[in-house]
Amino acid sequence: MKLSRDLDYSSYLYTCNKCRSCIHPETHPSEVICPAFLYRGFITFSGCGKLYTAQGIIEEKISLYGEELGDVIYTCMNCHACVLNCPSALPIKEAIRDLRETFYEKGRRTKEMEKILTAFKKSGNPWGRTIKSEFSKEGEVEVFPGCSYLYLYPSTVKRFIERLKEKGILAGIIGDECCGAPLLEIGARKEFEKKAEKLIKEFTQNTVYFMDPHCLWAMKTYCEEKGMDLELKSAIELLKNFPEKEGEVLYHDSCKLGRFLGLYELPREVLKRRGVKIHEKELNRKIAICCGGNWGADDGLKRFLRRKHAEEIRKTEKPVVTSCPLCRLSFEKEKLKVVDIYEI
Amino acid sequence: MINKRIKLSKEEKERIKRELQKIVGEKNILHTPETVYPYSGTGMVYPKFLPDFVVLPSSVDEIQKIVKLANKYRIPITPSASATQEAGIYPFFGGIVLDLMRMDRILEIDVERGYAVLEPGVRIGDFALKLKEKGMRCTVGSFPPSISVLGNYTQVAVNSHRSSGILHDILGLEVVLPNGEIMRTGSMAFSHSIKNMTWHSYTNSFPDITSLFINSHGTLGVITKGAVRIYNLNEPVMPLAGFDSYRKSVEFMKRLTRANLCQHVCVWHWCLYTIIDHLERFGHGAPSEILVYDPWSPPDDRPYNVVVPSMSGEKEDMDAHEKVFERIAKECGGFVCTDYIKEKFPGAYKFFYDHYALHLPTNTFMGAYGEGFPMMGITFTDPVRVSDLEKWGLKFLRKSPLKVGLAYYSHSVDQTRCVFLRMTPFVVAESSKKERERAIKVRKRYMEIAMKKYGGVPIRPPYEENFGETLDMTGEYGEVLRKIKRTIDPLNIMNPGYSLMMYGKKLLKE
């Protein structure tokens, strides 16, 4: 059967050697960077396992109605640690995407998917609550905070705007609506596109700054696929000229900001420029481990990851800096001292 | 005796599942087609056979219980470690795949005695780094850091060119036999009756049973522990020598090894070190020149072969070794090309240095779209005839209708009493599945000629049809092996898929 809308797997799908680099990074072979493998221990749940699953479906050895197919596909944080560490650059990213989209299109649902879809149905966002922005849309730069910031951390958005103003930058806050990133994560592509299309209409400028890297990734994906020439940027760039601040922090790499958008250094540069001393985690940048905050993944896996990080972070006795609201939420759930990069 | 795919009723499957869950815990077992599929075959290109269960044991005790359970229900067990590349999984007959990678403890690093004791899940990259901290090293090859040490060492030709210059580094093994009992080999055989026994000796005054388990691919038991040789990480030097023919390179290898100048030495064909250079610098893919040019004519002044030694010892000794290396290279018609390779092929030089001087595995090779693995013709060859095999082999493969880049590497084994030659065609990204199937046929023909005309010994039985054909070529040797298998494993419980490939249908008939 055909699995993908734009990829001929036959060129690549038969060349995975099971070298396990998608599980253990070359530089740290004693570590496991695949959250799902860490949680379950079987290659089935790794990046290489996703390629095999894609092959099994294409060759019709695996039924799309298999009772545990959802478990195989969604016991995965979609963190792309496997994608970036595969030495053959095999299409794991596409396999994850296509497996999710096919699963969704066939009407299959996991518990997590149901939760997200119900929330969207109710309120147009994954939180299941109506979110109303109290901020002005008018400004010289356009900033999209995303529903996670607006719902969970409105005071962070408020302070960020105020401080931008202090620096002489008038920010207009666009969008009460969710961009649809959680829908893209779970494979509900059409529904995501509707949300993205709606949001794009709200943009009045060619350059838009995103506070949440999930939204930035989703909208970049949309614009690239539709051939739209918009300049979408991380709002962290606006922090560059903020005043100096003393302190020491532990930096946690957000998967979306780092592996997906390639912005490993931007938050570090901003922190350094502002005089904040950064402590690195042993596994950082390309081989950082996901916090367990992403949409659509198995709940048990998320809990497992949160606890793993909490244990590690507590040992450092340092506040942890995040550049993503979902990482922040994950760590806060574990009662860790978290600092949002927009709050420094 | 298990001689066909087992069929379990729903009730039987449920009962066995419950019993397995009792042994390993609910989370450590998979049993649906969608979850077991990644364990259903070797690499992605070969046919798949779904196992009924995949189990992650965590101890020898659990493995014993699983083996006893398999005996009770007469279901196959397919042991598997990292299962990277050729070292695959063959659950032709269904049953239980034992994924041993959860057992990943380094039980002992005994610097004084020069060995380490490992569980099968220990990965070579991890092991090499832990040894480095103690000023020691293990044997590495061009394989990636995540593969199982024991899985690799117990299969002599899987990702070969080991840096110790011998074919395996196993001192002794602990094995759970098909009846569920534990056996230890080497000096540790006596641990059965003597308390403080160590793994120091591979021999114990009786026939060597350890070697019976080398290349046995889990057809005789489940390897649960192994003692492997470790070596001092001495001061390394790595001069490189260039040659314009393979014949000269082999002569050089022979003289180098027989003069005890190196621990290991490997010949790299220009196409292959060109690819490695590309992989090391760009991550994946292959440069177009290896597809455009013929394999006999390098496009510029790069040497046809580069010979890379693994040399280490005391500094004064190494200074002298380097001089002798240069003299012998010249006498064999070659030249020292260290600076040239460093400058023109920095990626290849780095790869060589990581492997031959630092003894740290990297996954450089894995970037080459699966390395063309179904097409490789690999043999342990007669050192007198190996140069002719290289000449013929390249011609034969060039004539074949395959869209591949031709390349090879070759290394000395046992002071060049034997030469390993691995023709390593590289798949180009657009190779189709059909083309790979065609490639398997080409390899088969290559192997036939390599054996008949050049004394090449295959490194493993073929995956294709005519199972047992290779073993049949060995006469009584094959008969003895089948008798051993039948005696140790009368029900053919242990890896019957690979048993079929190795021992052939004769095993099942008698």
Side-chain angles (χ1 to χ4, degrees), chain A residues 11 13-21 24 26 29-30 39 42-44 52 55-56 59 66-68 87-89, chain B residues 27-28 32 34-35 37-39 43-44 48 56 82 84-85 123 125-126 146 283-284 362-363 366-367 370 429 433:
Chain A
S11 301
L13 204 49
Y14 298 90
T15 56
C16 172
N17 269 325
K18 277 192 191 162
C19 75
R20 293 177 172 246
S21 301
H24 310 284
E26 186 184 28
S30 57
Y39 180 51
F42 293 98
I43 55 163
T44 305
Y52 273 83
Q55 185 193 46
E59 295 191 354
E67 56 173 317
E68 290 189 300
S88 300
Chain B
K27 275 205 147 184
N28 296 310
T32 54
E34 54 274 19
T35 52
Y37 184 80
Y39 292 85
M44 299 190 90
K48 301 290 183 291
L56 274 181
S82 49
T84 305
Q85 245 186 346
R123 298 175 297 277
D126 192 16
S146 306
H284 53 87
T362 67
N363 59 23
M366 297 297 116
K433 193 184 173 193

